[in-house]
């Protein structure tokens, strides 16, 4: 079978059977297309021509082009999954990516805001017109519930439960979960709904809309939050994930309940959530340095 045929059948599989998100499918497409372009230069067009030798050559080329370790790891993962699919369909005799080690990734702790800074920013942010009320509600909801940008953008009016102080979101892998809404966020949502009513009709189901009555897009949410960060004098650039990380970190600092944080964030694996334990330790270290008498004592 031609590589191009194996590519098309795999795209159909991950799109219609696995039902991966558009963003994830696009990521797979980029990785596979780049590998196909490389193989074409080597005059390799059939699935069974791809050997471990060519995989290692491609890996070396990516290293030589100074791609970041995370990018290389993502591409190798995408290609390994593709060839695993081909092997299961007996299109290739074996997966040439098995045994290929991905580069070690540097662990970057997610950036967060201090509790006091978030309180100051949100408390002084206005909410007396359509745009400011919508944007403040979004920011409060990000911080209150720790949801992802994609999850918030996709929230529908019917996903909201005022009586239960909760909202239903659809996360990675099309998995839904119910997350709580804090009192401040809930109060703003109620206020936002009065503005929303005047700018859209009953046919529009998106919870957050533009002044034209259309669903608010990802980029608009990102840019609006960044603009508010500048206006409000934030010490660093504001973006949706910073609120999510701050929510998780502050929740863990107060509760020490890692499982609860995992459920709140919608992490499939607890190891993903455990990165916040490092943030918690950093907080403890700062408190120690500022409060412990032996930590404050200077060397004589």
């Amino acid at each position: 079978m031609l590589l191009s045929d194996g590519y098309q059948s795999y795209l159909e599989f991950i799109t219609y059977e696995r039902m991966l998100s558009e963003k994830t499918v696009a990521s797979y497409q980029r990785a596979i297309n780049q590998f196909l372009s490389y193989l074409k230069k080597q005059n390799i067009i059939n699935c069974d021509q791809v050997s471990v030798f060519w995989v290692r050559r491609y890996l070396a080329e990516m290293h030589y082009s100074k791609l970041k370790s995370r990018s290389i790891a993502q591409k190798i993962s995408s290609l390994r999954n593709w060839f695993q699919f081909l092997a299961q369909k007996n299109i290739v005799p074996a997966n040439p990516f098995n045994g290929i080690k991905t580069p070690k990734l540097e662990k970057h702790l997610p950036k967060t805001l201090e509790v006091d800074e978030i309180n100051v920013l949100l408390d002084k942010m206005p909410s007396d017109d359509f745009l400011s009320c919508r944007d403040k509600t979004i920011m409060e909801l990000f911080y209150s519930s720790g949801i992802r940008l994609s999850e918030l953008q996709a929230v529908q009016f019917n996903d909201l439960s005022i009586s239960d102080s909760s909202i239903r979101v659809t996360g990675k892998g099309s998995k839904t979960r119910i997350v709580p809404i804090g009192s401040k966020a809930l109060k703003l949502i109620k206020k936002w709904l009065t503005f929303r009513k005047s700018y859209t009709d009953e046919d529009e189901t998106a919870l957050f809309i533009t002044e034209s009555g259309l669903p608010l897009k990802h980029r608009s949410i990102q840019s609006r939050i960044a603009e508010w960060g500048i206006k409000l004098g934030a010490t660093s650039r504001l973006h949706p994930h910073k609120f999510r990380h701050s929510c998780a970190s502050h929740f863990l600092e107060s509760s020490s309940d890692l499982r609860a944080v995992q459920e709140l964030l919608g992490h499939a694996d607890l190891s993903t959530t455990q990165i916040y334990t490092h943030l918690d330790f950093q907080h403890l270290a700062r408190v120690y340095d500022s409060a412990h008498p032996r930590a404050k004592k200077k060397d004589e």
Side-chain angles (χ1 to χ4, degrees):
M1 179 184 281
L2 293 174
L3 282 164
S4 56
D5 294 333
Y7 169 53
Q8 290 302 325
S9 60
Y10 181 62
L11 284 185
E12 291 174 6
F13 169 70
I14 62 176
T15 302
Y16 301 112
E17 291 190 41
R18 289 194 60 195
M19 298 182 68
L20 299 183
S21 69
E22 289 183 18
K23 186 177 179 181
T24 303
V25 171
S27 176
Y28 274 103
Q29 284 182 295
R30 283 194 299 272
I32 295 173
N33 282 331
Q34 288 166 2
F35 188 50
L36 289 176
S37 296
Y38 168 78
L39 293 175
K40 189 175 181 180
K41 293 176 184 177
Q42 320 305 322
N43 295 317
I44 295 174
I45 59 172
N46 293 318
C47 292
D48 58 3
Q49 290 178 284
V50 184
S51 64
V52 175
F53 171 79
W54 291 115
V55 170
R56 293 192 183 281
R57 285 282 300 270
Y58 184 58
L59 184 61
E61 185 167 296
M62 286 193 288
H63 279 294
Y64 184 75
S65 63
K66 296 184 179 180
L67 270 180
K68 291 183 178 179
S69 296
R70 186 169 298 277
S71 295
I72 294 175
Q74 287 174 339
K75 292 179 190 302
I76 294 299
S77 175
S78 298
L79 294 169
R80 181 182 287 117
N81 288 337
W82 177 35
F83 274 89
Q84 188 61 34
F85 167 82
L86 296 177
Q88 288 172 348
K89 298 291 184 182
N90 295 317
I91 297 171
V92 296
N95 186 344
F97 283 87
N98 285 342
I100 299 296
K101 293 183 178 180
T102 55
K104 289 185 178 180
L105 303 181
E106 295 180 4
K107 289 188 176 180
H108 296 289
L109 294 179
K111 295 179 180 179
T112 64
L113 295 164
E114 295 291 339
V115 176
D116 289 343
E117 181 175 9
I118 287 185
N119 285 333
V120 169
L121 290 174
L122 293 177
D123 286 347
K124 71 179 183 180
M125 184 173 175
S127 61
D128 48 8
D129 58 31
F130 177 90
L131 290 177
S132 64
C133 183
R134 182 198 66 191
D135 296 347
K136 185 172 183 178
T137 303
I138 287 172
M139 291 163 69
E140 284 280 9
L141 191 54
F142 273 133
Y143 181 54
S144 169
S145 303
I147 61 179
R148 301 177 178 92
L149 170 61
S150 59
E151 293 171 345
L152 181 136
Q153 191 273 334
V155 165
Q156 304 295 295
F157 180 78
N158 290 335
D159 291 327
L160 180 65
S161 177
I162 298 291
S163 59
D164 292 338
S165 300
S166 66
I167 195 165
R168 181 175 62 244
V169 297
T170 303
K172 293 183 177 180
S174 299
K175 294 180 180 178
T176 61
R177 68 185 189 281
I178 306 295
V179 294
I181 302 172
S183 58
K184 289 184 179 295
L186 188 63
K187 183 179 179 181
L188 271 169
I189 285 175
K190 292 176 181 177
K191 186 176 181 180
W192 158 244
L193 291 179
T194 62
F195 280 111
R196 180 185 180 278
K197 189 185 300 183
S198 303
Y199 283 81
T200 189
D201 52 40
E202 295 180 357
D203 293 333
E204 180 51 62
T205 59
L207 180 59
F208 294 107
I209 60 171
T210 65
E211 288 178 295
S212 302
L214 300 174
L216 195 60
K217 300 297 184 182
H218 292 75
R219 288 189 180 276
S220 296
I221 296 171
Q222 291 171 316
S223 62
R224 292 292 298 178
I225 289 178
E227 287 174 18
W228 277 112
I230 295 170
K231 287 180 184 177
L232 298 170
T235 58
S236 59
R237 184 177 179 275
L238 290 190
H239 54 81
H241 246 58
K242 187 167 286 187
F243 283 102
R244 174 174 163 85
H245 293 320
S246 298
C247 169
S249 178
H250 300 163
F251 187 0
L252 188 60
E253 285 175 14
S254 301
S255 69
S256 300
D257 192 334
L258 197 62
R259 289 285 181 185
V261 176
Q262 178 191 9
E263 187 174 341
L264 179 70
L265 298 183
H267 286 159
D269 194 332
L270 187 63
S271 63
T272 308
T273 318
Q274 284 176 329
I275 192 169
Y276 294 104
T277 62
H278 298 293
L279 290 174
D280 194 28
F281 178 79
Q282 284 190 338
H283 171 76
L284 175 62
R286 287 196 300 270
V287 172
Y288 179 89
D289 287 340
S290 64
H292 196 285
R294 297 293 289 176
K296 292 193 296 182
K297 184 177 175 63
K298 296 181 179 179
D299 293 334
E300 296 179 358

